[in-house]
Amino acid sequence: DTGVSQDPRHKITKRGQNVTFRCDPISEHNRLYWYRQTLGQGPEFLTYFQNEAQLEKSRLLSDRFSAERPKGSFSTLEIQRTEQGDSAMYLCASSFSASFEQFFGPGTRLTVL
Amino acid sequence: GQSLEQPSEVTAVEGAIVQINCTYQTSGFYGLSWYQQHDGGAPTFLSYNGLDGLEETGRFSSFLSRSDSYGYLLLQELQMKDSASYFCAVRDGAGGATNKLIFGTGTLLAVQP
């Protein structure tokens, strides 16, 4: 399968714990995005990488959230000191620079108890 | 602020035609995309309009009027498998062609036999 993959698919954690998610984009894609989606809502932009550079971060993203893309390939999203409000589906997408089409992964569903 | 308005639910019968409208108000606009998302699945790209007019892709067509900040997705010859959520999304290129997507709240389409 050459699509976008995410790991884990599901994560249950207790409030206050740290969690880390991984995204492997389509290999030729230089742009990588993270979105968050809650039930009944559309995906909400979190952050964006072009190659290894993080070029934009949503103002909605608190300092508990950090993302990396160390070699311009896979990316990780870490949430520190999780809160119940962090419960959501975390989606990763990738694209070519000039393309308007983004390819989404299956998402990681986070539940914070 | 930035907002994209869509009807929350639409119901139609197999074989019929349905139109899902989207009105937007965003600070940057570099095109309107449509994504389909089945329950529990990842958003998948359907169509994109960068300029005014109609784009046709098989049973799906999408229309854009930039002067009216309005677009729609037209689904013809509806099939049961078209039951899903449909999201319009503005490509926000402000600040250096980020290409991030700002999604609407989504329209849940139910196709009945």
Side-chain angles (χ1 to χ4, degrees), chain B residues 10-107:
Chain B
V10 173
T11 302
V13 297
E14 263 188 306
I17 299 172
V18 72
Q19 179 173 314
I20 300 174
N21 298 322
C22 173
T23 56
Y24 59 87
Q25 184 177 1
T26 57
S27 56
F29 180 84
Y30 289 80
L32 186 70
S33 297
W34 289 90
Y35 283 77
Q36 178 192 62
Q37 187 177 32
H38 286 98
D39 192 26
T44 56
F45 173 81
L46 291 177
S47 188
Y48 172 79
N49 295 74
L51 301 173
D52 291 351
L54 191 67
E55 292 287 338
E56 297 179 81
T57 310
R59 294 188 298 115
F60 297 166
S61 303
S62 59
F63 172 83
L64 174 66
S65 170
R66 287 173 295 171
S67 61
D68 295 321
S69 299
Y70 165 75
Y72 67 72
L73 178 70
L74 192 73
L75 298 86
Q76 302 182 71
E77 300 172 17
L78 281 174
Q79 302 175 9
M80 296 296 291
K81 68 178 182 179
D82 296 329
S83 293
S85 290
Y86 292 83
F87 295 92
C88 59
V90 164
R91 179 186 173 202
D92 183 353
T98 298
N99 214 36
K100 72 184 181 194
L101 294 173
I102 302 168
F103 283 85
T105 50
T107 298

